[in-house]
Amino acid sequence: MWETLAGQSEQIKQWLGQGLTLTKIHILLARRGVVVSYRTLNRYAQAELGFGKRRATVRVADCEPGAEVQVDFGRLGLLTDVEGRRRVVKGLIFTAVYSRHMFVFPTYRETLNDVIAGFEAAWVFFDGVFAVAIPDNMKAIVDRANATDPRLNDSFREYAEFCGFVVDPARIRSPQDKPRVERCVPYARSNFFAGERFRDLEDCRECALRWCRETAGMRIHGTTRLRPAEVFATDEAPKLKPLPDTVFDIPTWVNPKVAPDRHVQISQALYSIPGDLVGQRLTARVDSQTVKLYFRGELIKVHPKVGPGRRQTDPADLPSELTAYAMRDLHTLQRKACDHGAHIGSYAAAVLEHPLPWTKMRQVYRLLGLVRRHGADAVDDACHRALDAEVVDVGVIDRMLTRATTPQQLTLLPPPAPSRFVRSATDFAVRRPS
């Protein structure tokens, strides 16, 4: 059997190089007519092909004090929330590479807000910011994992720039890139969380903070043979960067599409866009105060943020011929009417003299349409005659221009006919029995 397997040596080596398991290779050999026991195949692979041998490892030298902190998520256990549900609690664990001092931030989720909250709590715990953070490829930090050129989440990249640290994500499925924090995950699970009873998540976080200071920080580390908290206080704490003076306003990045009305919808609110970009996709950065809009990497507009259902429109973003109507600008509309003639302007002012003047804007636009159709002089004369007769109705101006109505005919316009549905008041009298 050993000689038979020797004839398939190159093929077995190729399969092992492709990542096939030895069990699968045993099945494939049987299909080729090479029938041997699995134990024989296993002994041959180990002796001749080096199967199962562990690679030699080389310990990487520790960094300078305060230079690096390794970050990883790990499952801690189950916790009953305020609604009585049993939920999985995860720990965002930070380990200082030089001193091995660690911090645990329990959380239910791995969202961007939770991760940044964990980093903020860690900086407060360490009383400073490390120069480099080496996290796992969690989605809140890394959008696209790559060994040499990872793409970071835009919001977290801004947070890193705000705090002044560099993000250097580990490679995918490469725990050896952050070995200091890898061993802390089972340690925190077994020594801190296991067997404990917590009231809620906040109580769990307070207990984790106390455990990090009193237990994990004061233990004799198995490698360094020193107490991590003491090494950190002596060597690393003075080398950390200071904490930021202000609180980071976490932004949100979205890609809205410009609608035909030259607005984009962001968080159920509308914002105007300059230029002719209808149908284009923009990049929007939204925080608690402002909305910044980018097109192909160039900042094109900044708006103050408004609440859901509100509209933020800059008149300069709209076409000049539509600005007055879109913004309900009565003064601009009346000024346009005055430009065609004094009586046209006076007639427009009379039309707009109403408790709800914007409801009469269409009549003024109809009056301006008559100017384009019949000329400014004819409309100005008709408005003059209608004002003398105290008739404020753009429909009358239209009929005057169409039928060449004279002033005498204008003053003799018949009153409107009564409706045929009007009934006598006596029809509604209550008839009492005699």
Side-chain angles (χ1 to χ4, degrees), residues 415-423:
S419 172
R420 64 188 181 90
F421 297 103
V422 176
R423 298 168 62 183

Side-chain angles (χ1 to χ4, degrees), residues 219-394:
R219 77 191 190 279
I220 300 297
H221 194 274
T223 301
T224 64
R225 309 309 300 171
L226 299 172
R227 300 183 189 275
E230 295 177 354
V231 178
F232 174 81
T234 304
D235 299 338
E236 283 202 296
K239 302 295 182 64
L240 298 182
K241 297 182 179 181
L243 295 173
D245 297 329
T246 59
V247 178
F248 179 68
D249 189 0
I250 303 176
T252 302
W253 292 81
V254 293
N255 298 102
K257 185 177 182 180
V258 182
D261 62 354
R262 296 172 183 258
H263 285 70
V264 293
Q265 181 175 347
I266 301 172
S267 301
Q268 300 180 347
L270 298 178
Y271 300 90
S272 63
I273 300 298
D276 188 12
L277 296 175
V278 175
Q280 298 290 336
R281 285 282 180 185
L282 306 182
T283 300
R285 180 192 180 279
V286 187
D287 57 28
S288 62
Q289 301 295 328
T290 60
V291 174
K292 296 182 180 180
L293 299 163
Y294 299 84
F295 181 63
R296 295 178 180 175
E298 180 182 356
L299 180 64
I300 61 174
K301 194 68 181 181
V302 178
H303 284 290
K305 187 179 180 181
V306 297
R310 303 293 300 275
R311 178 192 295 263
Q312 182 66 30
T313 303
D314 185 352
D317 296 338
L318 303 178
S320 57
E321 65 274 10
L322 301 177
T323 302
Y325 181 76
M327 303 302 298
R328 293 182 175 181
D329 190 348
L330 303 177
H331 300 288
T332 300
L333 186 60
Q334 187 172 346
R335 187 169 61 251
K336 286 184 178 180
C338 291
D339 292 342
H340 296 292
H343 297 101
I344 297 177
S346 300
Y347 201 82
V351 171
L352 295 174
E353 189 175 350
H354 188 271
L356 302 176
W358 57 85
T359 62
K360 300 296 182 179
M361 292 180 66
R362 290 184 180 178
Q363 293 194 28
V364 179
Y365 276 106
R366 182 182 179 186
L367 181 64
L368 297 177
L370 295 177
V371 172
R372 292 191 296 270
R373 191 187 314 163
H374 300 285
D377 293 338
V379 176
D380 191 72
D381 182 63
C383 290
H384 186 195
R385 291 187 287 155
L387 288 172
D388 290 343
E390 297 184 354
V391 176
V392 182
D393 188 347
V394 179

